[in-house]
Amino acid sequence: MKISIYILLLLVSAVVAIGWSWKRLLDFNTYKKPFLEGVALQFLFLLFASVWWLITEDTTDGVIGVFYYFLAFLTIMVVHGFTLHYLFSKKKMQEREE
């Protein structure tokens, strides 16, 4: 059951970060500020998840779980950046056509 929650927290953090940044992308002329906001939101989310994992698991499994959260954070951040860059370039192309 705990591993399901662990994976669910990873997925929710990715969806929340990318969703937030996508929503905020409409308010800015650059994708950097929404990207940083999304990364900060994801960092906080995964930080709380890491603390939860350390509390509920023994030392070895806890540290390994936090390491996997860190790797997931980096991976999601890269996917997040590419997604925002694509959406921003698509938005700019639409503005030029109008």
Side-chain angles (χ1 to χ4, degrees), residues 29-61:
N29 281 336
T30 181
Y31 68 92
K32 291 176 185 156
K33 182 158 174 47
F35 173 73
L36 291 176
E37 289 176 357
V39 168
L41 186 64
Q42 180 189 2
F43 178 78
L44 289 175
F45 201 87
L46 288 179
L47 180 68
F48 289 127
S50 295
V51 170
W52 165 76
W53 189 253
L54 282 172
I55 292 171
T56 60
E57 293 296 317
D58 63 352
T59 306
T60 306
D61 290 340

Side-chain angles (χ1 to χ4, degrees), residues 11-86:
L11 295 175
V12 167
S13 74
V15 169
V16 166
I18 293 172
W20 174 264
S21 296
W22 190 352
K23 178 188 162 297
R24 295 287 289 159
L25 185 65
L26 301 173
D27 298 336
F28 292 97
N29 281 336
T30 181
Y31 68 92
K32 291 176 185 156
K33 182 158 174 47
F35 173 73
L36 291 176
E37 289 176 357
V39 168
L41 186 64
Q42 180 189 2
F43 178 78
L44 289 175
F45 201 87
L46 288 179
L47 180 68
F48 289 127
S50 295
V51 170
W52 165 76
W53 189 253
L54 282 172
I55 292 171
T56 60
E57 293 296 317
D58 63 352
T59 306
T60 306
D61 290 340
V63 171
I64 291 171
V66 170
F67 178 70
Y68 285 140
Y69 268 142
F70 176 71
L71 290 178
F73 172 75
L74 294 177
T75 304
I76 293 168
M77 191 170 61
V78 169
V79 170
H80 182 190
F82 281 126
T83 303
L84 281 184
H85 179 71
Y86 171 75

